[in-house]
Amino acid sequence: MFDISIVFDYIGPLLEGLWTTAWISGISIFIGLILGVALALTRNGKHPLWSRLVIVYVSFFRGTPLLVQLAIVFYFLPLAGIFVPSIVAAILVLSMNTAAFQSEILRGGFRTLPKGQEEAAWSYGITQWQCFFHIKLPQVLRKTLPSLVNETIDIIKNSALISTIAVTDLMRIVQSYSSTTYRPLEFFITAGALYLILTCTVSYVGQRIEQKLIQHQGA
Amino acid sequence: MELSIFIEYWPLLLSGLIFTLKVCSSSLIMGLLLGIFLYLFSTIKNRLTFMIYRAYLTIFRGTPLLVQVYLIFYGGPLLGITLSAAEVGILGMGLYVAAYFSEIYRSGFNSLPKGQIEAAQNLGFSKRQILTHIQLPQILGLIVPSLTNQSIILIKESAILSIISVPEITYAAVKMASETYSVVEPYIFLAGAYWVINFVVSRFGNWVELKSTHYLATN
């Protein structure tokens, strides 16, 4: 018998899991953004060796499954004598993975900026760092916002895989309750609904920010 | 690195690789066809059917594939649908990727100016001729890169089927790792295998794109 009310007995732990999923995804996206900017700049930079290394990095993280990346980091770190809690390994892998995707998004953004802007900034005596933080980065973030929001949604969905390395995120909690109560249907539908709330919220907030930016530009 | 363990395990890995290719191609074909069906469904000028279409997209694009697969795998038998793990995988991935494919088709068809079709109608082209001689040749070049991208994403996500014990390549590598107690070789091999598959798929996509935009190059 299908009886969704069983889920409400476990609503506390489920929401806790949702929170874990949310903050791990949030931190990973943020670290990934910083790393992604660095990667994009290195890739577009003048040093062929570094730029080649970034290509290899991006190719690896975009060309292999996240599940495999998680397994590699989770099992290889102890071999290298590094012991970290699984939650740290999860954040590490998610950040490195999204950094590769974000760097490609941002790289496209940086390329759309006309070179004249930079030259104009130089002739005004603006330093390279100032030019980057006050002129280039804000424009690129604005332009690539829709893709970055999509990437955030992807990371939230992909974060379900960190349950396989024993992080008690939403997926892990749902799995354990569905097997102890023998109610997989109810619990997995709930999991879907909770993920949906998270992803829909992100996409809604993204659209609102986008609208605000368009209004701001129009004024 | 102990490469000799591959002597014993290559049949397992090879059968896993073949299984991955089979499962992915089956679900891609299913997704491509179901996507056409979904796209046609979305073109019906009716508010209710469009809402159903949006709901399908939101559910399948807004929740993790793992949740969807679990729901079919554990929930299916309770509803009297018993499928093998591989069938669950194909069905789950097919339903999932169809949502993305349908939107790709939609963006392709929407990109053509309406005047073209009206002009063709005036010139006495039949509906079918308009589709095969005017719409499809133009759209193909536009949508092939997106279709390739989405196919690569799906191939990578197919790794999660190992969690429901589909004997694909990740499953084979995990088995090898647990039996030989060596994690480095199987996982490096696994990452390499996915990378190669995706490289081939992306090259194939480029080739199809080149073929489908051939008419542009001749002018």
Side-chain angles (χ1 to χ4, degrees):
Chain A
M1 272 302 288
F2 184 78
D3 180 14
I4 198 81
S5 64
I6 178 118
V7 169
F8 290 102
D9 298 341
Y10 301 93
I11 196 76
L14 286 173
L15 289 180
E16 232 166 82
L18 184 67
W19 170 238
T20 308
T21 291
W23 76 257
I24 289 184
S25 309
I27 287 186
S28 305
I29 283 290
F30 184 69
I31 299 175
L33 180 66
I34 296 170
L35 203 58
V37 171
L39 286 171
L41 291 179
T42 316
R43 171 82 162 77
N44 280 350
K46 287 187 187 77
H47 301 280
L49 178 68
W50 286 107
S51 151
R52 200 88 37 92
L53 282 176
V54 172
I55 294 175
V56 173
Y57 175 92
V58 169
S59 185
F60 173 76
F61 279 97
R62 298 207 314 166
T64 60
L66 182 64
L67 190 65
V68 177
Q69 294 163 17
L70 275 168
I72 287 182
V73 170
F74 192 63
Y75 290 118
F76 282 24
L77 281 183
L79 289 183
I82 304 165
F83 295 91
V84 291
S86 54
I87 207 157
V88 176
I91 293 173
L92 188 68
V93 176
L94 285 176
S95 312
M96 282 162 73
N97 178 280
T98 187
F101 283 91
Q102 292 191 52
S103 82
E104 284 297 284
I105 295 170
L106 294 167
R107 196 164 69 87
F110 279 113
R111 285 228 303 237
T112 62
L113 298 181
K115 209 169 157 59
Q117 277 191 6
E118 207 173 336
E119 288 162 359
W122 285 344
S123 50
Y124 275 112
I126 293 170
T127 66
Q128 218 176 352
W129 283 105
Q130 283 175 327
C131 174
F132 177 73
F133 281 109
H134 295 296
I135 297 172
K136 286 176 163 180
L137 194 60
Q139 292 186 76
V140 168
L141 289 181
R142 202 174 297 170
K143 270 183 190 169
T144 54
L145 186 71
S147 312
L148 292 177
V149 170
N150 271 343
E151 177 55 24
T152 306
I153 291 172
D154 276 345
I155 281 296
I156 291 172
K157 291 197 295 169
N158 286 340
S159 77
L161 292 181
I162 62 176
S163 60
T164 58
I165 58 166
V167 177
T168 46
D169 71 330
L170 177 59
M171 195 68 210
R172 182 85 176 180
I173 285 170
V174 163
Q175 277 168 352
S176 66
Y177 284 131
S178 81
S179 56
T180 51
T181 59
Y182 299 105
R183 298 295 191 117
L185 210 53
E186 289 86 344
F187 274 101
F188 285 120
I189 286 177
T190 309
L194 290 175
Y195 274 109
L196 213 52
I197 291 173
L198 214 53
T199 51
C200 286
T201 310
V202 169
S203 115
Y204 177 75
V205 171
Q207 277 168 7
R208 287 303 297 267
I209 297 175
E210 225 175 298
Q211 277 170 0
K212 277 270 154 65
L213 288 177
I214 291 168
Q215 280 170 3
H216 178 72
Q217 271 181 329
Chain B
M1 279 291 232
E2 184 91 45
L3 290 177
S4 58
I5 55 171
F6 283 105
I7 296 168
E8 192 187 338
Y9 279 95
W10 74 264
L12 180 72
L13 293 173
L14 185 68
S15 73
L17 179 68
I18 292 169
F19 213 92
T20 290
L21 295 178
K22 270 190 201 160
V23 171
C24 289
S25 50
S26 312
S27 50
L28 281 175
I29 291 168
M30 178 180 160
L32 285 169
L33 297 178
L34 186 62
I36 294 175
F37 186 77
L38 273 172
Y39 164 70
L40 292 175
F41 186 76
S42 78
T43 56
I44 300 172
K45 287 198 174 55
N46 180 316
R47 192 166 258 190
L48 181 70
T49 56
F50 196 70
M51 264 165 63
I52 296 172
Y53 176 72
R54 293 304 307 182
Y56 184 94
L57 288 192
T58 311
I59 290 170
F60 282 92
R61 298 198 307 177
T63 61
L65 179 59
L66 190 59
V67 172
Q68 296 166 24
V69 167
Y70 268 133
L71 204 53
I72 303 173
F73 190 65
Y74 290 112
L78 299 178
L79 301 174
I81 311 160
T82 21
L83 298 169
S84 72
E87 286 164 348
V88 169
I90 294 169
L91 183 67
M93 294 207 301
L95 291 172
Y96 169 79
V97 81
Y100 287 91
F101 282 164
S102 164
E103 277 297 277
I104 294 173
Y105 297 145
R106 221 159 73 88
S107 70
F109 278 102
N110 285 349
S111 71
L112 298 183
K114 226 177 162 181
Q116 277 193 4
I117 292 147
E118 288 164 359
Q121 279 167 347
N122 281 346
L123 291 171
F125 278 77
S126 72
K127 246 188 165 167
R128 205 181 132 180
Q129 282 174 322
I130 293 178
L131 182 71
T132 55
H133 292 296
I134 297 170
Q135 289 180 303
L136 281 184
Q138 296 187 78
I139 289 167
L140 222 53
L142 274 177
I143 65 172
V144 164
S146 312
L147 292 177
T148 313
N149 257 342
Q150 199 56 52
S151 305
I152 289 175
I153 293 174
L154 188 77
I155 292 168
K156 289 191 294 167
E157 296 218 62
S158 76
I160 69 162
L161 297 185
S162 64
I163 301 174
I164 58 163
S165 70
V166 176
E168 44 79 82
I169 190 160
T170 304
Y171 187 81
V174 170
K175 194 173 173 195
M176 178 179 167
S178 61
E179 283 176 8
T180 58
Y181 298 107
S182 47
V183 287
V184 180
E185 297 86 353
Y187 286 119
I188 296 278
F189 170 81
L190 188 58
Y194 276 107
W195 191 87
V196 170
I197 297 173
N198 288 332
F199 183 76
V200 172
V201 171
S202 89
R203 275 298 143 105
F204 177 72
N206 282 349
W207 180 78
V208 175
E209 192 192 338
L210 218 67
K211 285 277 159 196
S212 55
T213 52
H214 194 61
Y215 67 97
L216 286 175
T218 49
N219 316 334

